[in-house]
Amino acid sequence: TINIGGEATCTITNDDITPTLTLVKTVVNDNSGNLEVADFPLFISGTSAVSGTAYDQTANVQLTASETTRTGYAPSAWGGDCAADGAITLLPGDNKTCTITNDDIQPKLTVTKVVQNSYGGTKSASDFTLYVDTAQVTSGVQNGYNAGSYTVSEGSLPDGYEQTSISGNCTSNGSVP
């Protein structure tokens, strides 16, 4: 109430609201990988961040979401509210989330059969049966496997041929460590 001849002053103050940015990491281990979210350090413009935690940021400043990559895992592009390269600028009051997924890369194994016909033989690679564990494979064809150890071998040899070696990334007994 303002009385006759009285004066009043009212002041209204507004303050901009601190924006926040949350980084969310997902790790997919569908090829027997065993890394977890914590194995991929996250950063907001070079400052460490924990997946799922909202961090106060300064408005109207370009930020960059990034991570430390790991061998054997393919990162997706940044998503959510971030550009594909992780760039984002927040406005006052924004609560934004950027996402990234790392997926374990399926290992590949190629078994190549070499036939030496030094003494008049006529057989070719297709005349030999090749295996990775118990699965038959074709010479020179790359096959995907879950991470782990495997054994390369061949079936019964055609008459007049003997196995002289197994080499490459296999041990002499055919083990792929």
Side-chain angles (χ1 to χ4, degrees):
T1 301
I2 301 175
N3 293 326
I4 296 176
E7 292 182 18
T9 301
C10 297
T11 303
I12 297 176
T13 304
N14 293 83
D15 191 2
D16 59 346
I17 299 170
T18 303
T20 62
L21 180 60
T22 303
L23 304 184
V24 175
K25 155 71 77 195
T26 301
V27 177
V28 177
N29 287 312
D30 56 353
N31 293 298
S32 298
N34 60 5
L35 296 184
E36 299 174 354
V37 169
D39 294 315
F40 297 85
L42 297 171
F43 303 93
I44 300 172
S45 294
T47 301
S48 291
V50 174
S51 180
T53 302
Y55 291 92
D56 290 347
Q57 300 297 319
T58 303
N60 299 309
V61 173
Q62 183 170 335
L63 304 168
T64 303
S66 63
E67 68 167 348
T68 300
T69 58
R70 298 292 300 264
T71 301
Y73 283 77
S76 67
W78 282 93
D81 295 313
C82 274
D85 66 354
I88 187 169
T89 300
L90 303 173
L91 299 175
D94 278 350
N95 293 301
K96 301 286 184 167
T97 300
C98 298
T99 59
I100 192 163
T101 300
N102 291 79
D103 191 356
D104 59 344
I105 300 169
Q106 186 178 43
K108 307 288 188 219
L109 177 59
T110 303
V111 179
T112 302
K113 178 66 180 172
V114 175
V115 180
Q116 295 176 335
N117 288 313
S118 305
Y119 303 104
T122 60
K123 300 293 183 189
S124 67
S126 63
D127 294 313
F128 294 78
T129 307
L130 304 173
Y131 294 95
V132 173
D133 287 344
T134 59
Q136 187 172 342
V137 296
T138 302
S139 178
V141 175
Q142 188 178 65
N143 295 284
Y145 296 91
N146 286 337
S149 297
Y150 294 90
T151 301
V152 171
S153 63
E154 58 186 337
S156 299
L157 299 175
D159 289 338
Y161 285 84
E162 66 179 347
Q163 184 182 84
T164 56
S165 70
I166 297 178
S167 60
N169 296 113
C170 294
T171 63
S172 61
N173 70 355
S175 294
V176 182

